[in-house]
Amino acid sequence: MEKSREHWRYRIWFIAAAVGSAVGLGNVWKFPYITGENGGSAFILVYLFFIVVVGLSGVIGELALGRAAQLNPVGTYYQLSDRKGFWYLAGILGVITGFVILSYYSVVAGWAIAYIFKSVKDFYDFSEAAGATQVFTDFKTNPLAPLVFHGIFMFLCASIVVSGVQSGLEKWNKILMPSLLIILLVLLLRSLTLPGAGRGVEFLFQPDFSKISFKAVLIALGHACFTLSLGMGAMITYGSYLNSRENIVSAGIVIAACDTVIALLAGLVIFPAVFATGGEPGVGPSLIFEILPVVFYHMPLGIFFGCCFFIFLFIAALTSGISILEVVAAYFIDEKGWSRRKSVILMTGIIFLLGIPSSLSFGILENLKLFNLNFFDLMDHFAANYGLPLGIVLMSIFINWHWGVRNFIKELNVRSPKKILVVGLKVLFGFLLPGLVLVVIICQLFS
Ligand code: PHE
């Protein structure tokens, strides 16, 4: 007998879960360092453009697909294409991308957990930049410690996802998301009142377009998808637990807006702090692990604020990590008939194993390179900059050319749509969105 699908209990907690998926390491760890590397606010403008054009349509598109089919991404494409053709492969691409993303995502999330403790234990080594860099280098090059924290993070994700939608995802997002917001506000007040904070604010809000390259545009696009959890079916999966009454358009707007505001606020926490201590914004992925501890050292109650920051980072990562694991687990539950328990345990194990070379690529596997990228960067580069945008292109083409804009509009609960809406959406999903994304990908490939 078929079991009925579990649904979100309340709209507000569905939105919290979707915002939780969107707000993650992407906002707090990746957004600040790619902004730092690509010239600050000019990069942010390009990123905001992609959030509006690609991101918002992507969130609404994915939620609508998932809700219409009430299935995981693979099942969604299969079902909505009348179980014919190869569209289900778009879903498979999503599940694979999710797999890859979670494997290295969990490594960085593990660093965040380790730094909650290091903020106390190694506090006195953080008095100068050199000391903080040393602590981070010693930690990430150690073959064992980061793996233990990667394992802890995967274990925590699994323990939440195994309980299902209402007692797992909904219950934990309900606790974690409000905590996240409170910590963010405390940190924001602290950072903006640091001496010299103004330069960080300037860096975020005064554009210098000479720094924008093709590569920067591709990174901005990839990040717009990554930060909104798009292109791999996370929003399809969360949408599949929605009932037919929910207003998807307003939910999509709230999700995209909250994610963007939280990314900018995280920038407002981090850059004033970086500039206040004379740090360099373009140092790359280690930005928040090497520079922020020094900032915390020099402020009153530094241990407290340091712990708060890394708890914040960890919570943000956890609410995203569970959404990725849910995609992978839901695929095996819906399509292969596995129990939730079996699916979660097996997938967690495999993702953990795939994360091992990523973790080691900062130490003993440092010299193992392909396309001049180590294993960690390779996973991130292909999944975030190609896998996700490609997933969005396929979703968009599917909505316009296969499922049909009229079905899409019906799913949005719009009765008797105006012609202009139909034509507008056809142009958007049929040409504008896929065209824009493909042009950016192709230009990057040949530049
Ligand atoms: N959106 C998450 C972040 O910003 C990452 C993520 C990507 C989550 C893809 C789900 C799917 O950190």
Side-chain angles (χ1 to χ4, degrees):
M1 202 180 68
E2 217 173 282
K3 253 181 52 202
S4 70
R5 196 172 189 75
E6 218 187 339
H7 284 109
W8 304 105
R9 215 173 320 200
Y10 295 109
R11 174 181 162 86
I12 166 102
W13 300 122
F14 149 67
I15 298 215
V19 172
S21 168
V23 174
L25 294 175
N27 305 57
V28 194
W29 162 72
K30 200 168 177 192
F31 175 70
Y33 91 72
I34 55 179
T35 302
E37 281 180 336
N38 292 289
S41 46
F43 174 81
I44 295 183
L45 287 180
V46 180
Y47 159 77
L48 289 178
F49 168 77
F50 285 127
I51 288 283
V52 175
V53 178
V54 178
L56 186 58
S57 345
V59 175
I60 297 175
E62 282 204 12
L63 288 176
L65 285 173
R67 189 184 54 195
Q70 296 282 300
L71 284 168
N72 68 91
V74 181
T76 293
Y77 280 107
Y78 191 55
Q79 170 111 340
L80 298 182
S81 57
D82 296 327
R83 302 170 185 270
K84 285 198 288 272
F86 293 104
W87 274 107
Y88 71 94
L89 290 177
I92 302 250
L93 172 75
V95 175
I96 296 176
T97 309
F99 227 88
V100 172
I101 290 184
L102 188 53
S103 73
Y104 67 83
Y105 198 84
S106 165
V107 171
V108 181
W111 296 352
I113 303 179
Y115 262 71
I116 299 174
F117 302 106
K118 285 190 176 297
S119 307
V120 183
K121 183 176 135 294
D122 293 323
F123 189 66
Y124 292 99
D125 296 332
F126 292 146
S127 60
E128 284 172 45
T133 307
Q134 194 57 45
V135 171
F136 187 57
T137 311
D138 287 348
F139 172 68
K140 71 177 178 185
T141 52
N142 179 321
L144 202 62
L147 281 182
V148 172
F149 289 102
H150 160 50
I152 294 177
F153 182 77
M154 282 310 303
F155 174 78
L156 293 173
C157 286
S159 352
I160 294 178
V161 173
V162 84
S163 306
V165 178
Q166 293 186 354
S167 358
L169 300 171
E170 191 165 323
K171 177 173 142 201
W172 281 96
N173 274 300
K174 209 152 127 180
I175 302 170
L176 294 173
M177 289 312 286
S179 326
L180 190 82
L181 281 185
I182 294 170
I183 303 179
L184 178 63
L185 291 180
V186 171
L187 290 169
L188 194 63
L189 272 180
R190 176 62 275 201
S191 195
L192 288 178
T193 48
L194 285 173
R199 280 202 46 220
V201 178
E202 231 171 68
F203 180 75
L204 272 180
F205 295 113
Q206 266 186 14
D208 172 2
F209 284 99
S210 65
K211 301 236 173 79
I212 292 295
S213 58
F214 264 139
K215 190 160 162 245
V217 175
L218 179 77
I219 293 177
L221 168 69
H223 190 63
C225 301
F226 185 86
T227 192
L228 288 175
S229 310
L230 293 177
M232 50 143 290
M235 291 296 164
I236 296 185
T237 310
Y238 272 17
S240 77
Y241 304 130
L242 271 178
N243 62 43
S244 54
R245 292 184 308 277
E246 294 305 345
N247 181 335
I248 291 183
V249 177
S250 67
I253 294 174
V254 173
I255 295 164
C258 286
D259 182 71
T260 308
V261 169
I262 294 183
L264 293 175
L265 292 182
L268 277 179
V269 168
I270 290 160
F271 287 112
V274 169
F275 281 100
T277 46
E280 195 358 85
V283 297
S286 55
L287 180 70
I288 57 175
F289 295 97
E290 288 182 3
I291 295 189
L292 287 189
V294 183
V295 180
F296 296 129
Y297 180 87
H298 290 285
M299 65 175 58
L301 293 179
I303 295 190
F304 169 75
F305 286 111
C307 278
C308 276
F309 178 80
F310 289 105
I311 292 175
F312 170 68
L313 187 61
F314 158 65
I315 295 178
L318 187 61
T319 53
S320 302
I322 54 180
S323 75
I324 310 181
L325 185 58
E326 178 63 30
V327 172
V328 181
Y331 165 66
F332 287 95
I333 297 169
D334 292 343
E335 302 301 310
K336 307 281 171 209
W338 290 9
S339 70
R340 181 167 275 274
R341 208 182 173 77
K342 171 175 167 191
S343 178
V344 170
I345 293 176
L346 262 174
M347 291 309 118
T348 302
I350 300 178
I351 294 171
F352 172 75
L353 293 179
L354 184 63
I356 293 178
S358 281
S359 179
L360 296 181
S361 67
F362 295 93
I364 50 180
L365 295 187
E366 197 176 16
N367 295 322
L368 181 75
K369 291 200 171 166
L370 204 65
F371 305 114
N372 217 7
L373 298 168
N374 68 26
F375 193 84
F376 178 98
D377 292 333
L378 196 72
M379 296 288 115
D380 182 34
H381 184 66
F382 280 98
N385 296 346
Y386 295 103
L388 298 181
L390 208 62
I392 290 283
V393 169
L394 292 173
M395 176 214 74
S396 180
I397 294 178
F398 181 78
I399 289 183
N400 188 63
W401 302 98
H402 204 89
W403 191 37
V405 159
R406 291 206 179 264
N407 279 330
F408 172 67
I409 293 178
K410 220 188 284 158
E411 193 56 46
L412 303 183
N413 296 339
V414 180
R415 283 185 211 106
S416 50
K418 297 224 166 56
K419 191 147 196 254
I420 175 138
L421 178 69
V422 180
V423 175
L425 287 174
K426 280 191 172 163
V427 173
L428 178 68
F429 285 112
F431 303 95
L432 193 63
L433 206 161
L436 191 66
V437 176
L438 284 176
V439 165
V440 177
I441 295 181
I442 292 167
C443 288
Q444 156 69 9
L445 279 177
F446 293 102
S447 69

